[in-house]
């Protein structure tokens, strides 16, 4: 099988994690890295076995490299749209860290460009690519729980008080806040359970991090046309219950640590709970790389696991929640946050 | 120690459970039962060892009995206010099943009457009287988790489709719906964690049971002045994740099956989780009877565990949620549901 040649844009912690996990998948070549500074590119390349000639001290040089098929975008949320645009214009496929963009408007423009260029573009929501969550999704689509009734997923972390307010988690200029960093996991998981349908009604409420104004803790409730009520929660200054849950007319399923699930428990009404295990045999982020490789080699321009409509749905929901909390980024200018959220 | 002589109003399943549990507490005398029909009173009395002369075929007769100090009210929610009023007027103390009344207005009138009469009146929210929850409450009040950040409690059940629409769960004339039957546990638990403070902001969203219009599934989010965000969920046609959870700046606590808690797990930041066990040594409902006995013998007219302001707070929150869902009972006439909910 042909191997895709991957370039990595960015050298932060998630870039390192992706590079490490990519080595556990034998269908990929880690070909290049691009950074704003030659030194960090060289250091990253040395750590991950990338030849010095492919450690680029600018994103332009990475974009121009003939040795790269697809670029994994690992910059802060605030720069995703710009960097994807740059790579797509240069003819590269892109797989971009979540949150995919700052808002749904940016995501639509990126997907439009990819379509125009005939290139692949997808959100690196690695959670959905894990075997456990793919099995769960298939189970629900097959009607294992009957008609779905409720679902919940919370993801909160107490990020250190010592971190500077300029850190991307706290900094509105870098797309800071809980929704885009933590909430995106919970919302995407719940949207997956709902087949990425459009909710009929939305409600969001929460609080902001006083020091910088980004969203801190919030709850987003989605009510779907079939009656399913899903509740997402997230926080950057609070821990939250870390399990996913979904119930239906025939039973319920719990997913411990849903964002990195390797197991879930199915309890049909009147029966014993049954645990199903899907242990990882590659690094967690390798699953998205493998799936994307399969899609691209088959000539597809979007992910068969996280299609573009799924990413747009999640961004619309996050937009709505930010709007409800009054948390706007500069990139939201001219957008009515939430206006697209309930569009069927 | 003096023993209170208990009368039970009603002969349904919770009345039977209370009678059984009362036998596991040695500070009570099960003295009488009152029912609308002599046959059911006699059958209940025979099952629980109540002398035939104290099995009353009317509530009037129960109220008139000189052998009863306190009446445990076990009629449907819709009749709580009426039956408490009747017993208080006759000079009896009352302990009333939750939901205490249909709305906060009814609860205020009952408490006003009890105060006027110098009698004891309290909500039989047995969950709060359990040793585990009393210990949890004391722990939080002592600052064990630092500043509280988030909390959640969901309680849902899929009640049988076969039940008739006239069943109290489905019937608006009997105070049907999830909020008053299931939600009251989740909301009271979360209100307990917050010291029954007044939330600064509320949000509720949910769906109604189409066949009768009562509330089915809903989510109520409370944001307190100190930043604590609490999320309650309930349902009558859906299962929900059954654990309580609370986090603070110093750690988090999980409470499996919070409404009948016998254990909880404390995990302070950077430390191992520690399980604390509070096994029941009496029937679960005996704890409320024991606490109420202590209060009454000490001359108190309200519960030291579930004070009247706690019951009023919970009723206000349930009112708000019903208002948001558009679920009104006939008894709500003239009330703006939610108007009292945020009153500090």
């Amino acid at each position: 099988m042909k191997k895709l040649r991957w370039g990595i844009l960015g050298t932060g912690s998630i870039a390192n994690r992706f590079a490490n996990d990519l080595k556990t998948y034998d269908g990929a070549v880690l070909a290049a890295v691009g950074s704003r500074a030659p030194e960090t590119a060289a250091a990253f390349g040395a750590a991950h076995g990338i030849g010095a000639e492919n450690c680029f001290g600018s994103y332009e040089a990475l974009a121009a490299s003939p040795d790269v098929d697809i670029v994994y975008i690992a910059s802060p949320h605030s720069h995703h749209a710009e960097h994807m645009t740059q790579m797509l214009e240069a003819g590269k496929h892109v797989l971009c860290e979540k949150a995919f963009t700052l808002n749904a408007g940016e995501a639509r423009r990126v997907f439009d460009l990819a379509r125009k260029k005939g290139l692949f573009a997808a959100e690196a929501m690695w959670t959905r690519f894990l075997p456990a969550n793919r099995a769960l999704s298939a189970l629900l689509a097959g009607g294992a729980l009957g008609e779905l009734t409720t679902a919940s997923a919370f993801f909160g972390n107490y990020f250190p008080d010592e971190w500077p307010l300029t850190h991307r988690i706290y900094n509105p200029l870098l797309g800071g806040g809980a929704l885009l960093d933590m909430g995106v996991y919970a919302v995407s998981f719940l949207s997956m359970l709902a087949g990425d349908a459009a909710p009929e009604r939305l409600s969001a409420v929460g609080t902001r991090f006083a020091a910088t104004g980004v969203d801190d803790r919030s709850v987003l409730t989605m009510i779907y046309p079939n009656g399913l009520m899903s509740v997402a929660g997230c926080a950057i200054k609070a821990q939250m219950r870390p399990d996913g849950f979904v119930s239906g007319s025939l039973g319920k399923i719990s997913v411990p640590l849903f964002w990195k699930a390797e197991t879930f428990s199915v309890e049909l009404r009147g029966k014993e709970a049954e645990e199903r295990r899907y242990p990882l045999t590659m690094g967690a982020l390798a699953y998205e790389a493998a799936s994307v490789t399969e899609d691209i080699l088959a000539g597809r321009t979007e992910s068969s696991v996280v299609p573009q409509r799924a990413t747009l749905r999640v961004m619309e929901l996050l937009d709505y929640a930010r709007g409800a909390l009054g948390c706007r980024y500069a990139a939201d200018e001219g957008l009515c946050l939430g206006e697209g959220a309930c569009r069927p």
Side-chain angles (χ1 to χ4, degrees), chain A:
Chain A
M1 197 178 82
K2 187 166 177 288
K3 295 187 181 190
L4 290 185
R5 298 167 303 164
W6 292 77
I8 296 183
L9 186 156
T11 57
S13 67
I14 190 72
N16 271 288
R17 202 175 145 204
F18 184 79
N20 284 329
D21 285 3
L22 201 61
K23 294 168 201 157
T24 67
Y25 163 56
D26 60 12
V29 175
L30 179 48
V33 62
S35 175
R36 288 196 193 281
E39 306 76 42
T40 51
F44 187 94
H48 295 289
I50 299 169
E53 71 286 4
N54 280 335
C55 297
F56 301 109
S58 77
Y59 300 147
E60 292 74 16
L62 174 64
S65 167
D67 298 334
V68 171
D69 300 311
I70 179 168
V71 175
Y72 171 78
I73 309 283
S75 50
H77 313 323
S78 49
H79 292 71
H80 286 176
E82 175 192 337
H83 293 151
M84 282 193 280
T85 300
Q86 188 175 13
M87 297 301 135
L88 288 167
E89 291 286 7
K92 311 299 186 202
H93 302 298
V94 293
L95 174 65
C96 182
E97 257 309 303
K98 31 21 69 198
F100 189 66
T101 49
L102 288 177
N103 57 44
E106 285 190 350
R108 277 190 207 98
R109 285 194 291 278
V110 168
F111 287 142
D112 285 348
L113 176 61
R115 197 171 304 114
K116 211 178 73 183
K117 293 277 186 180
L119 292 167
F120 180 95
E123 177 191 4
M125 176 43 80
W126 57 278
T127 289
R128 287 211 195 189
F129 292 90
L130 300 177
N133 282 328
R134 291 186 69 169
L136 172 61
S137 190
L139 208 60
L140 297 182
L145 290 187
E147 192 155 349
L148 298 187
T149 49
T150 70
S152 56
F154 292 81
F155 199 19
N157 196 12
Y158 196 106
F159 287 102
D161 293 331
E162 297 74 37
W163 282 5
L165 298 179
T166 51
H167 188 284
R168 69 172 187 85
I169 286 291
Y170 300 139
N171 190 346
L173 299 177
L174 296 178
L179 281 159
L180 264 61
D181 202 72
M182 309 292 289
V184 65
Y185 284 98
V187 171
S188 187
F189 177 78
L190 293 174
S191 188
M192 176 190 82
L193 300 181
D196 294 307
E200 195 171 73
R201 277 191 289 153
L202 291 173
S203 165
V205 62
T207 64
R208 295 164 69 172
F209 180 57
T212 64
V214 299
D215 64 288
D216 173 2
R217 55 202 70 150
S218 61
V219 171
L220 171 64
T221 306
M222 294 155 272
I223 298 180
Y224 292 92
N226 65 357
L228 169 63
M229 182 182 75
S230 298
V231 193
C234 61
I236 52 171
K237 297 304 274 187
Q239 296 178 287
M240 299 185 104
R241 164 165 288 289
D243 299 350
F245 178 85
V246 55
S247 71
S249 51
L250 302 181
K252 60 184 178 178
I253 294 177
S254 294
V255 191
L257 310 178
F258 68 90
W259 69 93
K260 55 176 182 176
E262 293 191 63
T263 175
F264 56 81
S265 163
V266 181
E267 190 174 340
L268 297 180
R269 288 172 70 199
K271 297 193 178 163
E272 288 292 299
E274 178 208 340
E275 197 180 0
R276 304 204 184 176
R277 296 170 178 280
Y278 303 85
L280 300 187
T281 56
M282 303 190 290
L285 304 194
Y287 290 89
E288 59 188 12
S291 173
V292 164
T293 299
E294 210 173 279
D295 286 328
I296 290 178
L297 294 184
R300 287 187 282 271
T301 53
E302 62 177 313
S303 166
S304 46
V305 175
V306 185
Q308 296 180 357
R309 72 177 189 88
T311 295
L312 287 170
R313 180 73 66 217
V314 169
M315 290 313 306
E316 286 170 353
L317 294 170
L318 296 174
D319 282 0
Y320 173 87
R322 283 197 302 113
L325 269 71
C327 295
R328 297 179 70 87
Y329 301 126
D332 299 327
E333 200 178 316
L335 289 183
C336 170
L337 295 182
E339 69 179 358
C342 279
R343 213 169 40 192

